[in-house]
Amino acid sequence: MSFSWSRAASALRKLVVEDAARTPGEQHLDDGQRASLMWMAERLPESGVVLADEVGTGKTRIACAVVHAVLDAGGRAAVVVPHGLMHQWNAESRKLRPSGPVPKSLTTFTEFLREVSPNPFSWKDFSPCPDASEWWLISHGFRAPQVRSNSHPWRVALPALVELHLASPAERMDGRTRFGKLQRELDDARSSSIWTGMARIAREVAPLVRGRRDLRKRIESLPPLNMTSWKNDALLAAFELDGDGRPLTEELLGFWLGAFDLLVIDEAHKSRGEVDLKVAVPSAVPGTVLARLIDALLKQPETGRRLCLTATPMELDLSQWNDLLGRARSGLEREHGNQVVQRLHAAVSRAAIAPDEESRLDELVAAARDFTRTLAPYVTRRRRDGDALVTSFRKNAALSEGRSHPHRRLSRVPIGLTETVGQNSPWIDVLFAAECMSHSARRLTRKDTEAWPRTVQDAYTKLSAGHFSIELSEMNEPLRVPEPGVVDEHTRGKIARVAYWYRRLRDGRKRVLEGLPPVIGVEFDPDSEHPRILAAVKEIESWTSQREKVLVFGVFLRPLRLLRDVLNVRHALRAADAGKPISHVIHTDPELLGIAVLQLERLRATTSLSGRLATGTSAELRRVLAESHKAYKRLRKQVRERAKKPVIAWCTDSTLLGGAPVDREMQGALEDHLVSFVLDDFLATTSESGEVTQERFDALATEFVDEQLRPLLGEPGNEDLDDEQTVRWRQALRDFLVNDDGRQSLHARLLDGSTRWQTRRFLQATFNRSGTSPWVLIAQSQVGREGLNLHKSCRVVVQFHAEWSPAVLEQQIGRVDRKGSLWEMRARKWLDDGARGELPFVEVRQLIFEGTYDAFQWDRVMRRQHVFDASLFGTLLPAEAWARVPEERLKELLAAAPSFQPPGVK
């Protein structure tokens, strides 16, 4: 059947009605999601739309419903999604429609060729069928093959192979012609999965190009391909920035994938890079990888629609609303949109200064209403504030109505030097000198500072953030002051002052190093004593001591690693002091032992130790740590024998690991992870080491499969998996288990850019499990702020480093503030108990180094937060301004605040 949007809209309405008719326990959608879908059924036949629901409100489930409606109407859909979230889209689709169509997937072009092309049966199952109703999950990073000056010929081969399949049979059979030689080379390369895959794609694309004279001319204009040698310099050059090779390959890959009636763009705020497809050479404006994928590679018919998903349509500036609406192909006239958002921005800023001035409030109300009226046909947004539980919580807690996110409690944690490290600490000199450097360097131009050592340029911005790791005291090159006459005297004086404070900074750093205790066999890292690290440890441990899990976000990797190590060492010291087994190997690691020596003194100073480590030397410390670890190893040995039998059963279970023969290395890794899981739970819930009973072991082994292995595989209990899928999933599991150290269960874990996606999913599962490690998950902001659901056992977020965008801060908090969160569970219990007792909040703590560049950055992002809140959270004025608003205007302001709730949502 031919696809139409009227038919898709009818299918969407039918899906909503059928879900609403089910009993509450069998429904897959809530009232708000159904309202959003009914709104989309009206809008998508007219234009593309933006689904801007707040973090944690279930956007993915809504988008899956739209996809299924398009499939029901005979259409094709593509969902462009970050690679790490593809498993979650699969899971949401199955929850919505357990027996529905399974998506095909593309992560990278190379991976597709290597995994699919060798097997003709897998090619049939996993390659595109442009004339069939199907849907695809496509990674944000999918692109045409990257080409460099020394790239392999296959990366530039697609146009030439398409031209080969367009040639006549006689030309291809004649070995004297260019086509005949290329055909012979291709026949000789049949054993290569890459070349086999490229040839298949070319064969499928060629019929679609045959009648396109424009494309054929572009293909013919490229230099010839030489498959058997690396002499393709001219062809490779055609794939450089100003050549037609890359855009032509994108065009051909678009034909291969086929046109999509619906294009869903997840995390759509990442696609703002522009690609100008109307210029003569499309690659002249290269755009981002995601923008090129959306605008240059993926094709849509004239009636095609886009659904953009993002919780943060704007991040830094209100004008970004227009960028996103343009990406969605909403049809909103851009100039009109610019005028509307600029008017709101100006009105919000002016009213915040004088909220008691009637004319400013009048303009704010008018601008807000105009903003809502203009965007409402293209945007739907449900807020957490509108959730029935949040509303009930706010009312029963008697919290003000104008405040956004009443269920959150955000507090600044000021880092005071003297309070954190002591009045005589040399760290005071280091950080004070860095700030003086920054003030002295103000208004110097880049030309004035370009010859400075990199450490000088970075010092004041990074030292207070705990990022600085270069030993300043050992730098041979000082900051040189220009000779008289080289620059004007004013500039020379400023550089001289910077040089003075730079010397003071180096001297202070030297005193930090000299203050470390002389202990043989120990390596000390002075940055583990950085005030930011110590302040963060104090804040985090104030929560973990209450049995609360903590999610930490930061920017710079080195201080995050140090924070992890300090937290783990302090946790191990407390356990060893109490005579408990510890999994963490510290006594043989010189760097961790150095942290232990320094932190032992801090713990003693606060009387946190009362057992074996309350007194004693560093040698005694080593002995106690070694004894506690030996006790843990004895427990592991007891449990290890029990782990062998269930692991062997798992390896032969066709519904779990594919029924493949037992891999000894993988079996050992599985046993390690199972034993750590069992002991982690046992030690967390048992005051004495004792013994793990068989009954408890069996229960924990079952829980390990359900909570750790199945989420990692992503296809629990699916007996319909083919051999290709089984091999891939099993290999992913094996890679993770073997490479991740399962012999230690750590109190704090770090998630950074090098963390494999399998490990991220595993950490997500363990962090969401209440009562056991890790108690602290430290995430590098770019890695952990989007996509990961970390809400089931955590309601505390510590923002370790400042950010520039309020949208980033919101995404971070959104990891724990979601549907089905720990906060929701506690809020319901509080309400069920008659709204008595301590109020439960989502707790957010921001570490701010007062008096430094760090405080300046936090102040700047908080100013941006006001405009962010005005357009996204219906808060037209900052919190401190509401008290100055005339009482008779309050109701009007609240009513005028921008809101894009779909009809039917209260």
Side-chain angles (χ1 to χ4, degrees), residues 28 46 136 147 174 187 249 272 280 283 439 499 547 603 608 630 690 696 705 727 743 745 825 842 844 885-886 892:
H28 303 301
E46 303 298 326
W136 283 78
V147 177
D174 189 347
D187 291 340
T249 299
R272 291 194 176 107
S283 60
H439 284 279
R547 307 285 291 174
L603 288 168
S608 299
K630 285 179 182 177
R696 188 168 187 179
V705 171
V727 169
R743 294 166 297 176
S745 182
M825 182 185 71
V842 173
V844 183
V885 175
E892 181 186 15

Side-chain angles (χ1 to χ4, degrees), residues 362-381:
D362 290 340
E363 173 58 16
L364 178 59
V365 168
R369 288 174 175 164
D370 191 21
F371 178 82
T372 305
R373 185 169 51 251
T374 302
L375 272 62
Y378 316 108
V379 178
T380 179
R381 177 174 173 81

Side-chain angles (χ1 to χ4, degrees), residues 449 451-458 475 477-480 502:
T449 63
W452 291 5
R454 182 69 183 177
T455 50
V456 182
Q457 298 178 33
D458 289 349
M475 288 185 59
E477 183 182 2
L479 196 163
R480 301 186 184 281
Y502 179 49

Side-chain angles (χ1 to χ4, degrees), residues 96 146 300 305 399 476 527 533 542 552 563 674-675 692 699 777:
L96 182 68
Q146 287 184 281
Q300 289 190 273
R305 296 288 182 263
L399 300 172
N476 296 321
D527 291 332
I533 300 286
S542 72
V552 183
L563 176 62
L674 173 59
V675 172
V692 182
L777 184 60

Side-chain angles (χ1 to χ4, degrees), residues 103-283:
K104 298 178 179 180
S105 62
L106 284 174
T107 52
T108 69
F109 191 57
T110 306
E111 183 179 350
F112 176 85
L113 292 175
R114 286 176 176 164
E115 293 190 0
V116 177
S117 61
N119 187 338
F121 298 103
S122 64
W123 182 272
K124 180 181 177 182
D125 293 335
F126 292 101
S127 64
C129 299
D131 297 327
S133 178
E134 62 182 11
W135 72 292
W136 283 78
L137 282 174
I138 303 176
S139 169
H140 274 192
F142 183 78
R143 64 174 86 183
Q146 287 184 281
V147 177
R148 297 182 177 86
S149 59
N150 60 345
S151 288
H152 194 281
W154 77 263
R155 292 180 174 273
V156 295
L158 185 57
L161 295 182
V162 170
E163 186 180 17
L164 174 65
H165 282 87
L166 290 171
S168 67
E171 288 177 305
R172 296 173 64 180
M173 292 292 292
D174 189 347
R176 296 169 299 177
T177 67
R178 175 166 63 93
F179 295 118
K181 292 177 182 177
L182 183 58
Q183 182 66 57
R184 187 184 306 161
E185 291 176 343
L186 190 60
D187 291 340
D188 292 341
R190 290 296 182 187
S191 60
S192 165
S193 62
I194 295 287
W195 281 113
T196 300
M198 293 296 293
R200 282 179 175 154
I201 293 173
R203 185 166 59 247
E204 293 174 6
V205 169
L208 304 174
V209 174
R210 192 173 298 279
R212 293 285 304 272
R213 292 180 57 84
D214 56 333
L215 278 179
R216 295 197 64 168
K217 284 183 178 180
R218 289 170 64 188
I219 291 173
E220 292 165 1
S221 68
L222 291 178
L225 168 70
N226 189 334
M227 282 180 54
T228 56
S229 80
W230 293 81
K231 295 180 179 179
N232 284 290
D233 293 349
L235 182 57
L236 290 169
F239 280 75
E240 293 179 355
L241 184 61
D242 58 348
D244 193 29
R246 179 186 178 190
L248 180 56
T249 299
E250 290 172 337
E251 184 92 359
L252 297 175
L253 286 175
F255 277 114
W256 171 61
L257 286 170
F260 294 101
D261 301 292
L262 173 68
L263 179 57
V264 181
I265 308 169
D266 194 15
E267 307 293 352
H269 54 276
K270 295 181 178 180
S271 67
R272 291 194 176 107
E274 293 297 328
V275 180
D276 188 352
L277 300 179
K278 296 180 181 179
V279 295
V281 181
S283 60

